[in-house]
């Protein structure tokens, strides 16, 4: 019993120290948000929790929001989180809510109240035709507005007659739905131009109001002498959504003649006799109802009765008020403790119309009755046999068509300490890292977790964390012999050792890597032979992974079988010279690799390379070259006509190297030296030879002469000047007699020809070539090149341009023509009609004789109507040319057809769908699959980036015993379209029979930030059809398509998945490859790759937005390697590499732009940016500028300082005038107030214009006027009594002033008698007096409350009555009071003091007649 009490106390302490994650709706507070399209609005929640929730997600219509086309998430307000719609669109309509969770690794979560977002809109009137309505004189007429389709909380209707707005009255008014109702139609009502106007204030300016077509009213006949009362437009049964409309009307337009009948209203047969906060019966033709917050009593039957005193008419309607649910029975606000195996009963109740329904959630997941231990029945939830899985945040949501309300509570389940994750024994090599994980659980949870090594404190080289909530880690970065057979202990304990301490121990086994040795170090073989190379490995404990390299290049087995690899043996067949070199064998075990090398020498027979024919001019020397490849080196000889040649006067043999020999034939003669020469090479393997024919030719002769040609501007041309076989030919090229300088880019010399690229008019002229050789100089051959400049549009847009609403579009059109012609004109046309684009930009190139003209068409903020066919036309006297383009508004794709899914067994389903009926006007870029698995109709993204060319896919990673629905979304360049209809339900079942060839056991381990090791066991039940495996894996964080790796050998039981993303969660399945095509797929396992720093942000641009501010914008990193936590911007003066960089942190990881304030506006800066994730900060990216740099601050201009100086001078003059005026005024106000009146002060000291002003006597207590009412209240005496010296006193009976006379002709007490005699400061001034005629010395009421004037002029005293403001004799200049007890009063604005009148208990004036009560005549506020 004591243990239970202690546990409960500790549990309560823990609960009080922690609060569950919660999102409370801040705006809109009532759960409904109505706003016009294009406007910016927010949905805001106040997020709380201890610890503060790490995982926060927004949902719309049951699906998580992952695309933010026109939406931003603002988390900069501390606990306030907002979903901001930058420009509201119709597609944003829906039901939104927010789910917050402590972290990804914890269950505690809650769902917010739902927010309905509706978008106001106002279409155009459908018809423009004039309607005609006829009415009898004296009868009624209804002119129908027939408003266009619209939505808004309070649409406003008004009517105009012949352009003049109609003012409503008892006989003519506008109904709630826009119709104009006219009672007792008269001739004056005849008109052919009545128009209805509808307006919705929440829409954007320019879209708020639409005017309808004309309605004609024809008045006919004569009025009857008497028409009994009748209901012209009566009330109708209706249901009112109290969230959308808080105020509405019950119409009852009544007609009669000649007198309009009077109307009485009844609610449930009880007459409504007067207006109030709910019912307004001031208007004759309708009852206006304002729904209160508690709207239950407004739903009723309302009846209107009309009567003219003789006859009556009646009509009634039933009104229902629809409201969102209000929780009246909530879940407990404090956490509830339950012990294991007990029963949990929760209930909540709500009131609403229509009757609400209920949904229950645990940790933001909807609960359903499961027929086992969970029973959901309306507002009641019962769970029997609860355990630790049932703890968390429980929510009851009451909902109907109007909205929803949520009640939240927390359930704790007590449980003993245990290990969620235990450290596992490791077997590692020296130098490798060893990592251990540990996590405990319990309720109350562990209050401490610590690590020990060999029973004591871990060494300093070991790294570890002592987390309580998430997984704790212990890492030995580099295992040494000191850690051999070491013990790592994880120890957890509960609060005040409530439960026994628990310990988990793991052992470190240390091993060395594999020892590798080549069987032979040097190997020799002949070409064509086969050779085996073998390595031996020792000291291994598991499977070895072998790799072979040749000259440091990895060897891959080829398809023709010439190279084969069998573990530790490499076999190479049909050896060639390329196979010679160093070979390396590598043996790897668990990431530890060792290697050894060997050298293979390949002996090869001679291979000769030599020309087959050489031409030479007679009398020249010729060199014949013979190159040979062979191993060992060959012997090379030269032979002619069967005779071996040797060095002599005719021949010289030059041995360049062991493999190259050159034969030189001197002074070649046609009749003696022409013939065949043989080169012969031999080595121990073989002898080979090759021949070359030597020929003598005549002198150089030009065979292809240059030709005249005409070339268009900016094209390319060439000029040829080829000769016969003439080895010594040298070409000289000239233009207009000058030797051409070749630059290698535009002018290119190819010997017998030249090429001219990007021809311009100045390239025209006479080109000549001259061929020189050792046989003699040739003669020049020339040709003329003429350059033409046709009228051309050389810059123009693509044939089609797609745009989105609001885009800025610039269509460029630039043309050129020959300058010798007349000026070229450039014009734009849309759908055949010319568009005025402003000034034509022209330029003349006098050097090249070219005329340029440019006319760019700019559309600043494109809308749908800007689409169409555009033409750019350039024209001059030569004619015209044109380029066409089409502008099209980019549209979203429509929904694909309903998908069909089929379960294939063991976690795999096949899914197919049909293409969208309209993909939008841009090609589809991908499909997305969304999945729902809990029957709660909440779909989440599952697969992204599916190939748009296919309409089927295989779904992997499905769990057994689940129910799945799928939706498909098409994506194009604009964004995502709507989701398809949900697919048929797929129910996965647990396989009852043991599958053949199924991999039942496999393990995953993260090798690095971009690779995972997969190991599996051979299927226990297998047959001969098993041929290999297919590893299926995908990045869960990116929800990408699965990737595959195929293993051809069924005996191979491990592989490595490479090129993965760092810090990401991967799902893996193993599918067995079966020749019979029987499907066998393993269960799903997940693994987290090691963290890697992100790549740099992409495409960073830094521009000066103002002289002292830079706007930096960027794209997210191509490879974030996990979740981006923040960005960092660095900047400094350009070129100042020794200056420190200024650092600006961008904490919002979703941001892609930031404004940065500069230290010095007059210099240029260099900017770079980095991204950071949990692994650290990535490499920087140097930001570029788009050319908007402002080098000089605008305020450095001389005119700026001149303006500042002029403004300062004017300001000083104004101050001087004020000072002089105040000084002169002060001089007229008499002496300053003294602090203490003289003891001998007498009554006469207060008379006359020069009376002294005294401050309060120190013996007199004084309380200031109360806040909000500077003028203390006081009562009056009998009307006209001569001693009523007070503000507003005297004989004048001010209406709303000193109050109307009571029956005893006295004044009502405790009223506010202010300077203008109003009840309170909030009352409006009254225009007139009542009662006695006001004396001429009273001022009228002031138009607004004002402080006392600086001076009041004295009025002529009137015996016995108050004179001027403040009453009393005006002879007292300064307004101080002197009472019968000769004590001085406080000198306040109204000279009042706190009276001691015990019978009234409120301040009063001194009643001594003849003294200056209430301020006197000349009240000088400046002397107070």
């Amino acid at each position: 019993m004591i243990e239970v009490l202690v546990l409960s106390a500790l549990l309560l302490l823990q609960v009080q120290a922690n609060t569950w994650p919660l999102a409370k709706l801040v705006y809109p507070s009532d759960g409904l948000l109505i706003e016009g399209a294009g406007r910016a609005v927010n949905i805001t929640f106040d997020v709380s929790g201890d610890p503060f929730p790490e995982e926060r997600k927004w949902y719309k219509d049951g699906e998580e929001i992952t695309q933010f086309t026109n939406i931003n998430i603002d988390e900069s307000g501390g606990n306030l989180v907002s979903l901001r719609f930058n420009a509201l669109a119709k597609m944003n309509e829906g039901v939104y809510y927010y789910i917050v969770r402590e972290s990804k690794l914890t269950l505690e979560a809650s769902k917010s109240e739902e927010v309905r977002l509706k978008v106001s809109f106002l279409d155009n009137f459908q018809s423009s035709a004039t309607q005609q309505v006829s009415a009898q004189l004296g009868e009624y007429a209804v002119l129908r507005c027939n408003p266009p389709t619209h939505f808004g909380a309070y649409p406003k209707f008004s009517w105009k007659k012949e352009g003049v707005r109609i003012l409503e009255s008892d006989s003519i008014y506008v109904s709630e739905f826009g119709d104009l109702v006219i009672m007792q139609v008269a001739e004056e009502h005849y008109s052919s131009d009545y128009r209805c106007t509808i307006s919705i204030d929440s829409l954007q300016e320019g879209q708020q109001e639409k005017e309808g077509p004309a309605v004609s009213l024809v008045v006919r006949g004569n009025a009857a002498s008497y028409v009994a009362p009748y209901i012209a437009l009566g009330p109708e049964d209706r249901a009112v959504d109290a969230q959308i409309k808080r105020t509405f009307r019950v119409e009852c337009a009544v007609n009669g003649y000649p007198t309009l009948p009077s109307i009485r209203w009844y609610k449930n047969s009880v007459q409504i006799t007067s207006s109030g906060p709910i019912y307004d019966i001031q208007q004759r033709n309708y009852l206006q109802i304002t729904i209160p917050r508690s709207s239950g009593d407004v739903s009723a039957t309302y009846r209107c009765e009309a009567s003219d005193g003789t006859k009556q008419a009646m009509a009634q309607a039933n009104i229902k008020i629809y409201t969102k649910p209000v929780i009246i029975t909530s879940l407990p606000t404090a956490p509830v403790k339950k012990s294991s195996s007990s029963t949990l009963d929760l209930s909540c109740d709500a009131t609403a119309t229509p009757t609400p329904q209920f949904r229950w959630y645990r940790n933001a997941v909807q609960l359903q009755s499961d027929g086992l231990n969970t029973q959901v029945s309306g507002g009641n939830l019962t769970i029997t046999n609860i355990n630790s899985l049932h703890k968390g945040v429980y929510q009851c949501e009451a909902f109907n068509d109007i909205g929803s309300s949520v009640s939240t509570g927390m359930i704790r389940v007590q449980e003993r300490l245990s290990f969620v994750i235990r450290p596992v024994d490791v077997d590692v090599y020296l130098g490798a890292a060893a990592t251990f994980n540990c996590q405990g659980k319990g309720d109350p949870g562990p209050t401490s977790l610590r690590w020990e090594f060999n029973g004591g404190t871990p060494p300093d080289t070991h790294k570890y964390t002592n987390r309580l909530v998430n997984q704790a880690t212990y890492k030995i970065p580099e295992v040494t012999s000191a850690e051999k057979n070491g013990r790592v202990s994880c120890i957890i304990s509960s609060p005040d050792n409530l439960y026994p301490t628990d310990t988990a121990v793991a052992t470190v086994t240390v091993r060395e890597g594999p020892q590798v040795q080549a069987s032979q170090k040097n190997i020799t073989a002949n070409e064509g032979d086969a050779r085996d190379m073998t390595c031996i490995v020792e000291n291994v404990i598991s499977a070895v992974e072998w790799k072979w390299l040749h000259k440091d290049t990895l060897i891959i087995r080829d398809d023709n079988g010439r190279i084969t690899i069998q573990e530790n043996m490499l076999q190479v067949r049909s050896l060639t010279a390329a196979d010679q070199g160093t070979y390396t064998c590598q043996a790897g075990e668990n990431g530890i690799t060792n290697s050894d090398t060997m050298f293979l020498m390949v002996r090869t027979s001679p291979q000769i390379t030599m020309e087959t024919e050489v031409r030479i001019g007679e009398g020249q020397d010729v060199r014949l070259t013979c190159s040979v490849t062979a191993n060992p080196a060959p012997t090379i000889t030269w032979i002619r006509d069967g005779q071996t040649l040797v060095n002599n006067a005719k021949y010289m043999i030059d041995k360049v190297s062991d493999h190259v020999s050159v034969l030189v034939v001197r002074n070649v003669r046609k009749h003696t030296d022409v013939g065949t020469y043989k080169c012969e090479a031999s080595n121990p393997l073989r002898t080979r030879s090759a021949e070359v024919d030597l020929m003598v030719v005549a002198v150089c002769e030009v065979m292809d002469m240059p030709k005249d040609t005409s070339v268009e501007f900016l094209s390319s041309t060439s000029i040829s000047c080829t000769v016969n076989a003439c080895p010594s030919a040298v070409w000289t090229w000239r233009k207009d007699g000058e030797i051409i300088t070749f630059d290698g880019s535009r002018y290119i010399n190819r010997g017998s020809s030249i090429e001219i690229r990007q021809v311009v008019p100045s390239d025209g002229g006479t080109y000549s070539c001259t061929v020189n050789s050792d046989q003699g100089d040739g003669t020049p051959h020339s040709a003329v090149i003429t350059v033409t400049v046709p009228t051309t549009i050389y810059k123009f847009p693509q044939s089609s341009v797609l745009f989105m609403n609001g885009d800025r579009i610039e269509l460029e059109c630039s043309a050129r023509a020959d300058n010798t012609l007349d000026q070229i004109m450039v014009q734009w046309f849309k759908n055949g009609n010319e568009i005025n684009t402003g000034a034509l930009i022209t330029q003349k190139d006098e050097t090249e004789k070219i005329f340029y003209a440019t006319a760019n068409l700019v559309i600043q903020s494109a809308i749908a109507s800007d689409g169409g066919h555009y033409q750019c036309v350039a024209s001059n006297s030569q004619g015209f040319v044109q380029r066409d383009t089409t502008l099209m508004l980019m549209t979203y794709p429509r929904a694909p057809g309903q998908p069909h899914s089929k379960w294939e067994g063991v976690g795999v389903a096949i899914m197919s769908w049909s293409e969208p009926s309209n993909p939008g006007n841009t090609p589809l870029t991908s499909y997305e699959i969304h999945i729902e698995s809990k029957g709660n109709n909440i779909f989440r993204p599952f697969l992204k980036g599916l190939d748009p060319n296919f309409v089927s896919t295989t779904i992997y990673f499905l769990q057994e015993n689940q129910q799945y629905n799928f939706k498909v979304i098409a994506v194009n360049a604009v964004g995502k379209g709507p989701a398809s209809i949900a697919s048929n339900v797929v129910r996965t079942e647990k396989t009852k029979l043991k599958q053949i060839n199924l991999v039942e056991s496999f393990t995953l381990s993260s090798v690095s930030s971009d690779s995972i090791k997969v190991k599996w066991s051979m299927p226990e039940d297998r047959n001969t059809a098993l041929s290999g495996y297919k590893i299926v894996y995908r990045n869960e964080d990116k929800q990408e398509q699965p990737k595959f790796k195929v293993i051809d050998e069924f005996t191979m039981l491990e592989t490595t998945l490479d090129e993965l993303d760092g810090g990401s969660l991967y799902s893996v399945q193993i599918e067995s490859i079966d020749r019979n095509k029987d499907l066998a797929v393993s269960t799903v396992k997940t693994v987290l790759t090691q963290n890697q720093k992100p790549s740099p942000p992409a495409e960073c641009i830094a521009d000066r937005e103002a002289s002292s501010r830079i706007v930096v914008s960027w794209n997210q990193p191509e490879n974030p390697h996990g979740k981006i936590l923040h960005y960092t911007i660095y900047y400094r003066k350009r070129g100042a590499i020794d200056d420190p960089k200024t650092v600006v942190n961008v904490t919002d990881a979703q941001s892609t732009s930031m404004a940065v304030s500069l230290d010095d506006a007059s210099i240029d800066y260099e900017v770079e940016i980095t991204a950071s994730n949990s692994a650290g900060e990535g490499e920087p990216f140097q930001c570029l500028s788009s050319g908007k740099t402002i080098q000089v601050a605008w305020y450095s201009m001389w005119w700026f300082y001149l303006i500042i100086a002029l403004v300062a001078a004017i300001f000083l003059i104004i101050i001087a005038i004020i000072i002089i005026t105040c000084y002169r005024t002060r001089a007229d106000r008499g002496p300053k107030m003294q602090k203490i009146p003289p003891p001998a002060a007498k009554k006469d000291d207060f008379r006359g214009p020069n009376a002294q002003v005294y401050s309060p006597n120190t013996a007199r207590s004084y309380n200031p006027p109360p806040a909000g009412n500077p003028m203390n209240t006081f009562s009056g005496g009998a009307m006209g009594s001569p001693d009523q010296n007070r503000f507003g006193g005297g004989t004048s009976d001010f209406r709303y002033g000193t109050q109307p006379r009571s029956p005893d002709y006295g004044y009502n007490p405790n009223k506010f008698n202010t300077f203008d005699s109003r009840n309170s400061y909030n009352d409006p001034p009254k225009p007139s007096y009542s009662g006695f005629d006001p004396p001429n010395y009273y001022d009228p009421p002031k138009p607004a409350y004002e402080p006392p004037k600086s001076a009041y002029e004295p009025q002529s005293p009137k015996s016995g009555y108050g004179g001027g403001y403040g009453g009393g004799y005006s002879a007292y200049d300064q307004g101080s009071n002197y009472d019968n007890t000769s004590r001085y009063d406080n000198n306040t604005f109204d000279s009042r003091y706190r009276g001691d009148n015990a019978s009234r208990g409120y301040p009063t004036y001194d009643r001594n007649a003849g003294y200056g009560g209430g301020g006197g005549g000349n009240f000088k506020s400046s002397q107070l």
Side-chain angles (χ1 to χ4, degrees), residues 1312-1362:
F1312 296 101
N1313 296 282
T1314 60
F1315 275 106
D1316 55 3
S1317 301
R1318 275 183 272 177
N1319 277 341
S1320 71
Y1321 303 134
N1322 296 325
D1323 285 345
K1326 301 302 175 179
S1328 64
Y1329 301 101
S1330 67
F1332 295 95
D1333 293 333
N1336 58 9
Y1337 48 81
Y1338 279 89
D1339 288 346
K1342 305 298 175 187
Y1345 173 71
E1346 297 175 356
K1349 296 181 178 180
S1350 60
Y1352 293 99
E1353 297 302 325
Q1355 304 292 335
S1356 299
K1358 192 166 185 177
S1359 177
Y1361 299 102

Side-chain angles (χ1 to χ4, degrees), residues 54 167 249 277 295 450 518 649 692 701 722 754 762 833 900 942 1088 1090 1123 1225 1270 1282 1293 1356 1390:
E54 292 181 6
L167 299 179
R249 296 179 182 178
S295 55
R450 73 178 191 275
V692 58
E701 179 181 357
T722 58
I754 63 171
S762 58
N833 298 315
H900 175 75
F942 186 72
L1088 190 67
Q1090 298 176 15
K1123 183 179 181 181
T1225 304
D1293 185 6
S1356 299
D1390 56 3

Side-chain angles (χ1 to χ4, degrees), residues 119 159 174 202 429 440 483 712 807 839 865 891 983 1010 1044 1084 1099 1213 1249 1286 1305 1310:
V119 180
W159 281 79
V174 179
S202 60
Y429 292 93
E483 281 86 19
E712 282 193 4
D807 281 356
S865 61
T891 57
S983 71
D1010 61 353
F1044 309 95
V1084 181
E1099 300 181 12
I1213 292 172
R1286 58 187 182 277
Y1305 295 96
N1310 298 320

Side-chain angles (χ1 to χ4, degrees), residues 524-527 577 580 601-608 628-637 658-659 679-689:
T524 302
N526 293 334
E527 64 179 344
Q580 181 170 298
M601 184 179 74
V602 181
R603 302 198 304 171
T604 59
S605 60
Q607 300 291 330
I608 300 175
V628 183
T629 58
N631 186 18
T635 300
I636 303 175
T637 56
D658 288 343
H659 296 82
C679 172
E680 187 176 84
S682 62
N683 72 357
L685 273 68
R686 192 169 179 179
T687 298
R688 281 193 173 92
S689 63

Side-chain angles (χ1 to χ4, degrees), residues 35-42 69-72 84-92 117 119 204 805-806 892:
E35 193 52 84
R39 292 185 179 268
V41 295
N42 290 349
T69 303
N70 65 335
I71 303 175
N72 292 115
R84 179 173 180 79
F85 300 85
N86 301 316
L88 200 62
K90 186 69 176 175
M91 67 177 182
N92 297 130
L117 174 60
V119 180
Q204 285 186 306
N805 275 327
Y892 292 92

Side-chain angles (χ1 to χ4, degrees), residues 448-470:
S448 71
L449 182 152
R450 73 178 191 275
W451 293 92
E452 289 184 356
F453 185 76
N454 289 336
T457 303
D460 293 339
T461 56
H462 295 191
K463 310 297 182 185
Y464 52 90
T465 60
N466 295 330
R467 295 179 182 172
L468 288 175
V469 178
N470 297 329

Side-chain angles (χ1 to χ4, degrees), residues 539-554:
N539 194 30
V540 294
I541 60 173
S542 61
V544 175
E545 183 176 349
W546 289 92
K547 290 183 181 179
W548 285 87
L549 296 88
H550 178 216
K551 298 177 182 178
D552 297 329
T553 301
L554 183 66

Side-chain angles (χ1 to χ4, degrees), residues 1049-1333:
E1049 300 290 340
F1050 77 91
T1051 57
M1052 187 172 178
L1053 301 176
E1054 67 175 67
T1055 188
T1056 301
L1057 306 179
D1058 298 314
E1059 299 182 1
L1060 307 181
D1061 295 319
S1064 299
L1065 184 68
Y1066 278 84
S1067 293
V1068 180
Q1069 276 182 294
I1070 300 179
E1071 178 181 340
S1072 299
I1073 300 175
D1074 190 320
R1075 296 187 185 93
N1076 298 331
K1077 297 187 178 179
D1078 292 331
L1079 191 64
V1081 183
S1082 72
T1083 58
V1084 181
K1085 290 191 176 183
T1086 58
V1087 65
L1088 190 67
T1089 56
Q1090 298 176 15
N1091 264 354
Q1092 181 180 347
K1093 295 179 181 179
S1095 62
E1099 300 181 12
C1100 177
I1101 302 295
D1103 280 330
R1104 285 277 181 93
E1105 184 183 66
S1107 60
S1108 59
R1109 186 167 63 180
I1110 289 178
V1111 174
V1112 183
S1113 57
W1114 62 91
N1115 290 336
Q1116 294 186 346
E1118 183 177 354
N1119 294 310
H1121 298 304
K1123 183 179 181 181
I1124 297 297
L1125 300 179
H1126 63 85
Y1127 295 95
T1128 307
I1129 299 172
Y1130 300 89
Y1131 68 92
R1132 66 182 172 195
K1133 181 179 179 181
R1134 188 174 299 281
I1137 58 176
D1138 295 330
D1139 291 355
K1141 297 178 181 178
T1142 302
V1143 181
V1144 178
N1145 288 317
V1146 184
T1147 56
D1148 183 1
Q1150 301 298 323
S1151 295
T1152 55
S1153 65
M1154 181 79 173
V1156 177
S1157 298
L1158 302 177
D1159 301 324
D1160 189 340
S1162 62
I1163 62 175
D1164 195 15
Y1165 287 83
E1166 56 186 17
V1167 183
E1168 60 187 22
I1169 185 170
T1170 64
S1172 298
N1173 61 13
S1174 58
E1177 185 176 17
E1179 293 296 319
F1181 185 89
Q1182 190 75 33
C1183 300
L1184 304 176
S1185 172
S1186 63
K1188 301 178 182 177
T1189 306
I1190 302 174
Q1191 295 288 352
V1192 180
W1194 63 271
Y1195 50 78
S1196 64
M1197 304 300 181
W1198 62 270
W1199 48 266
F1200 174 79
Y1201 292 106
L1202 178 59
I1203 293 174
I1204 292 296
L1206 290 174
V1207 171
I1210 295 171
F1211 179 79
L1212 291 174
I1213 292 172
I1214 293 172
I1215 293 297
I1217 293 172
I1218 292 173
I1219 292 173
I1220 293 171
T1221 303
C1222 291
Y1223 180 80
R1224 290 179 176 176
T1225 304
R1226 185 178 181 87
D1228 298 330
R1229 291 181 181 174
K1232 301 231 175 176
M1233 182 181 293
Q1234 299 179 23
K1235 291 186 177 180
I1236 302 175
K1242 298 178 180 178
K1243 174 175 166 182
D1244 292 342
D1245 293 335
F1246 296 91
R1247 294 185 179 276
N1250 297 320
Q1252 300 297 312
V1253 178
Y1254 297 111
S1255 60
N1257 190 299
T1258 55
R1260 188 83 167 159
S1261 61
Y1262 171 70
N1263 291 326
N1269 177 23
M1271 305 305 171
N1272 288 339
T1273 59
F1274 48 90
S1275 68
M1279 172 75 71
S1281 175
D1283 60 356
Q1284 302 306 303
N1285 298 307
R1286 58 187 182 277
F1287 283 101
T1291 59
S1292 177
D1293 185 6
F1294 282 40
R1295 178 181 294 180
Y1296 299 101
T1298 52
Q1299 306 302 316
R1301 287 171 294 169
S1302 59
D1304 61 354
Y1305 295 96
Y1307 289 93
N1308 291 334
N1310 298 320
K1311 297 297 181 180
F1312 296 101
N1313 296 282
T1314 60
F1315 275 106
D1316 55 3
S1317 301
R1318 275 183 272 177
N1319 277 341
S1320 71
Y1321 303 134
N1322 296 325
D1323 285 345
K1326 301 302 175 179
S1328 64
Y1329 301 101
S1330 67
F1332 295 95
D1333 293 333

